[in-house]
């Protein structure tokens, strides 16, 4: 549950009538969170016939549909990806989490749900207030549901251009649901799609439609015991850590603000709980393979306090993992009617490059093999070693190459070394090309973890020196 705060006046001024009215609005809206959200099912709630429905309101909301917010860009590095992973519970206590918290991991990856951080900037900027036809009291905005779809794994770092649009506006009687779609692109390639369902308490009853075919519908869990249950005890600092990913709402950090909003203490971000559960599903059913994560849908039902234990209950039905999340100490369901869609294993394996296929490095190794014919004997005499290269793509090994500078006049072939390799070098296809083009220093790549070496590491330095002498290689 989030309460938008970008239009709030400073709360330090107790004699400000504006602040006082806003605080009252916050208290009123948060006090009705459970009551309101519990009424909303996939078909919507019945209309509130006591609410005034006017043609002006109807036309106003209708006019907002299809309105676009100003496009924006979101740039991030490995730092932001790691900060997010730590914020949703990834830890070095689990060796399999290292790929999410250490940029030097050969398969370093962004958690799929980092995609919501990219999309939420459209809401945090207050752009909704500028949409014609939307008269919004941000003190009464609740985050009801969230959908995220990934079209390919998020890059480890990058700059994405985002476009946000009001997809639809629904009349739920006790409130209005605004459906916000945010599309994020790398150049012209669509990377991910967020759908935020925002509930405006008390704005309904204007005679608008109750359902929409544009909504990604929440789905009830199966009527049987879960197939897997995993728990996470959140830290007392969980909200303080998660907010560093960009949600600065004081409701999650300031005890005074939380008290004014009707809570005993600051509550955890709903999207933080969302991230915890998604991470557990990825771990349990996809072995942390981010390329298999296709989509997630969740409904926020009740708040969580930092320090409470999250219990994620999961049901596998084909490639869809249904789940709900509870607070273990109270039994309260805090995320309901949720699911994650995974790509079949066969789909992801078919996308893994075949040995040497579709890799830029292939051309380089083939060219080295051709040019060794001229200088091979002299290089063999100076190096006298066998190097095996593991070239990765998308975190998976895309090709193995061997440069044999120990026998004959030297040779290069695709595949693992036929005998024992003296040195094995592991790096991505992209980083390999950066090294070849002189844009990435191998030593810096090694110390940053982007290049890994096993065996006699000193020989790799010798190889680098020889290749400089024979720049044609």
């Amino acid at each position: 549950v989030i309460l938008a705060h970008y239009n709030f006046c400073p709360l330090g001024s107790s004699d400000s009538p504006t602040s006082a009215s806003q605080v009252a609005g916050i208290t009123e809206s948060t006090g009705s969170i459970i009551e309101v959200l519990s009424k909303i099912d996939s078909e919507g709630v019945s209309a509130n016939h006591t609410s005034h429905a006017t043609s002006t309101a109807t036309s106003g909301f209708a006019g907002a549909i299809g309105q676009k917010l100003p496009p924006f860009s979101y740039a991030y590095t490995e730092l932001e990806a790691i900060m997010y992973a730590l914020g949703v519970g990834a830890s070095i206590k689990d060796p399999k989490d290292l790929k999410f918290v250490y940029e030097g991991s050969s398969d370093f990856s962004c958690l799929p749900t980092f995609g919501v951080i990219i999309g939420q900037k459209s809401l945090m900027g207050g752009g909704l207030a500028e949409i014609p036809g939307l008269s919004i009291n941000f003190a009464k905005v609740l985050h009801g549901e969230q959908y995220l779809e990934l079209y390919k794994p998020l890059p480890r770092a990058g700059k994405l251009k985002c476009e946000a649009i009001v997809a639809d506006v629904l009349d739920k009687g006790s409130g209005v649901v605004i459906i916000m779609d945010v599309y994020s692109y790398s150049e012209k390639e669509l990377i991910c799609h967020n759908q935020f369902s925002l509930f405006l308490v008390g704005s309904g009853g204007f005679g608008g439609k109750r359902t929409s075919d544009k909504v990604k519908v929440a789905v009830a869990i199966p009527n049987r015991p879960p197939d897997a249950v995993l728990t996470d005890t959140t830290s007392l600092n969980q909200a303080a850590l998660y907010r560093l990913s960009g949600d600065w709402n004081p409701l999650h950090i300031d005890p005074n603000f939380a008290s004014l909003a009707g809570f005993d203490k600051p509550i955890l971000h709903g999207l933080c709980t969302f991230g915890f559960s998604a991470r557990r599903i990825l771990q349990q059913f996809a072995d942390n393979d981010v390329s298999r994560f296709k989509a997630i849908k969740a409904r926020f039902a009740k708040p969580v306090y930092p320090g409470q234990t999250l219990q994620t209950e999961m049901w596998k039905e084909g490639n869809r993992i249904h789940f709900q999340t509870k607070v273990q100490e109270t039994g309260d369901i805090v995320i309901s009617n949720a699911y994650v869609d995974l790509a079949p294993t066969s789909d992801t394996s078919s996308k893994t490059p075949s040995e040497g296929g579709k890799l830029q490095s292939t051309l380089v190794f083939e060219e080295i093999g051709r040019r060794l014919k001229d200088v091979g004997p002299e290089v063999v005499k100076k190096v006298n070693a066998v190097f095996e290269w593991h070239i990765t793509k998308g975190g998976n090994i895309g090709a193995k190459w061997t440069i044999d500078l120990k026998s004959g006049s030297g040779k290069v072939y695709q595949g693992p070394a036929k005998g024992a390799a003296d040195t094995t070098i592991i790096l991505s296809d992209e980083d390999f090309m950066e090294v070849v083009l002189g844009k990435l220093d191998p030593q810096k790549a090694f110390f940053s973890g982007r290049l890994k070496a096993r065996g006699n590491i000193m020989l790799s330095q010798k190889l680098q020196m020889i290749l400089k002498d024979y720049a044609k290689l």
Side-chain angles (χ1 to χ4, degrees):
V1 178
I2 60 171
L3 294 172
H5 62 279
Y6 6 81
N7 275 10
F8 291 169
C9 291
L11 295 180
S13 174
S14 60
D15 58 349
S16 165
T18 304
S19 297
S21 63
Q22 287 169 335
V23 169
I26 299 165
T27 306
E28 177 187 347
S29 63
T30 53
S32 62
I33 287 174
I34 309 308
E35 177 185 354
V36 171
L37 293 183
S38 65
K39 292 179 181 178
I40 305 173
D41 56 25
S42 60
E43 295 300 321
V45 297
S46 58
N48 179 358
H49 298 291
T50 62
S51 299
H52 63 284
T54 66
S55 59
T56 301
T58 303
S59 61
F61 280 118
I65 300 172
Q67 292 285 338
K68 295 181 179 180
L69 277 67
F72 64 92
S73 295
Y74 183 87
Y76 66 95
T77 66
E78 290 88 347
L79 173 63
E80 284 77 19
I82 291 170
M83 188 72 73
Y84 174 79
L86 293 171
V88 298
S91 171
I92 57 172
K93 292 179 182 178
D94 186 341
K96 290 186 176 181
D97 277 355
L98 195 63
K99 65 184 289 185
F100 302 121
V101 298
Y102 174 44
E103 74 287 354
S105 296
S106 59
D107 57 349
F108 177 80
S109 305
C110 287
L111 278 169
T113 47
F114 181 66
V116 299
I117 301 299
I118 296 170
Q120 74 180 6
K121 186 178 176 181
S122 61
L123 304 179
M124 298 303 171
L128 274 176
E130 301 174 8
I131 296 292
L134 287 185
S135 177
I136 296 177
N137 177 358
F138 284 101
K140 295 190 175 184
V141 175
L142 309 178
H143 190 179
E145 297 180 357
Q146 181 68 35
Y147 176 78
L148 169 68
E149 183 173 1
L150 294 174
Y151 299 93
K152 65 180 298 183
L154 296 168
R156 59 184 290 157
K159 184 176 182 179
L160 302 185
K161 180 181 177 181
C162 303
E163 299 176 352
I165 184 171
V166 179
D168 219 335
V169 178
L170 306 179
D171 184 353
K172 295 293 186 177
S174 58
V176 168
V177 174
I178 298 176
I179 307 300
M180 283 287 304
D181 282 334
V182 183
Y183 299 92
S184 302
Y185 301 84
S186 176
E187 299 297 337
K188 294 184 178 180
E189 183 179 18
L190 180 60
I191 302 298
C192 65
H193 163 218
N194 277 280
Q195 185 175 92
F196 298 85
S197 296
L198 306 176
F199 193 86
L200 277 61
V201 178
S203 298
F206 60 87
K209 60 184 178 180
R210 294 171 52 200
T211 61
S212 171
D213 57 4
K214 296 178 182 178
V215 175
K216 302 296 183 179
V217 180
V219 180
I221 60 173
N223 186 24
R224 59 182 174 83
D227 298 314
V229 179
L230 294 174
T231 59
D232 291 279
T233 300
T234 61
S235 163
L236 292 175
N237 289 319
Q238 205 70 57
L241 179 58
Y242 182 83
R243 70 190 297 269
L244 300 181
S245 288
D247 188 340
W248 303 101
N249 192 334
L251 179 68
H252 306 294
I253 189 71
D254 187 336
N256 293 326
F257 193 96
S259 177
L260 290 170
F263 295 102
D264 295 336
K265 50 190 174 182
I267 62 174
L268 192 61
H269 305 71
L271 285 176
C272 180
T273 303
F274 174 91
F276 264 91
S277 295
R279 182 178 57 79
R280 281 305 204 177
I281 292 167
L282 185 69
Q283 177 189 74
Q284 179 72 23
F285 293 101
D287 195 29
N288 276 348
D289 182 355
V290 297
S291 67
R292 292 194 59 201
F293 194 102
K294 292 178 63 179
I296 179 172
K297 171 72 179 185
R299 174 177 296 164
F300 303 111
K302 287 189 177 182
V304 176
Y305 290 106
Q308 289 184 319
T309 302
L310 299 175
Q311 179 172 299
T312 304
E313 301 174 346
M314 298 162 269
W315 292 261
K316 187 178 189 303
E317 298 211 336
N319 292 308
R320 172 164 287 184
I321 312 300
H322 298 267
F323 74 96
Q324 69 178 13
T325 308
K326 294 179 177 178
V327 169
Q328 191 177 60
E329 290 83 355
T330 63
D332 289 341
I333 297 173
V334 294
I335 288 182
S336 65
N337 294 18
Y339 65 82
V340 167
D341 283 336
L342 299 174
T345 306
S346 57
D347 281 5
T348 55
S349 62
S350 66
K351 295 177 184 176
T352 301
S354 59
E355 287 292 308
K358 299 182 181 178
L359 297 176
Q360 299 178 76
S361 54
T362 299
L363 298 174
V364 178
F365 283 109
E366 290 174 347
E367 187 65 18
I368 290 176
R370 283 191 289 269
R371 298 189 183 189
L372 266 181
K373 295 175 182 177
D374 298 330
V375 296
E378 188 174 351
V379 175
V380 167
K381 187 184 297 184
K382 291 185 177 182
V383 179
N384 190 33
V386 175
F387 297 89
E388 183 173 301
W389 297 74
H390 294 182
I391 305 298
T392 66
K393 188 74 173 178
N396 300 310
I397 294 179
K400 293 181 181 180
W401 286 88
T402 299
I403 300 180
D404 184 347
L405 299 177
K406 182 175 278 189
S407 58
S409 59
K411 55 185 175 180
V412 177
Y413 56 89
Q414 189 178 323
K418 294 175 181 176
D422 295 289
T423 306
T424 299
I425 300 172
I426 308 166
L427 79 168
S428 72
D429 186 54
E430 295 83 1
D431 286 343
F432 178 88
M433 295 306 298
E434 292 283 293
V435 170
V436 168
L437 296 172
K439 296 180 180 179
L440 176 63
D441 180 79
Q443 189 174 26
K444 291 182 179 179
F446 176 77
F447 284 112
S448 68
R450 292 170 67 176
L451 182 154
K452 295 182 179 296
R454 298 198 299 257
N456 190 336
I457 298 176
M458 298 305 294
L459 282 174
S460 63
Q461 295 181 339
K462 192 173 182 181
L463 174 65
Q464 183 183 352
M465 177 185 68
I466 293 297
L467 293 181
K468 282 183 178 179
D469 290 342
Y470 294 93
K472 286 190 298 181
L473 294 182

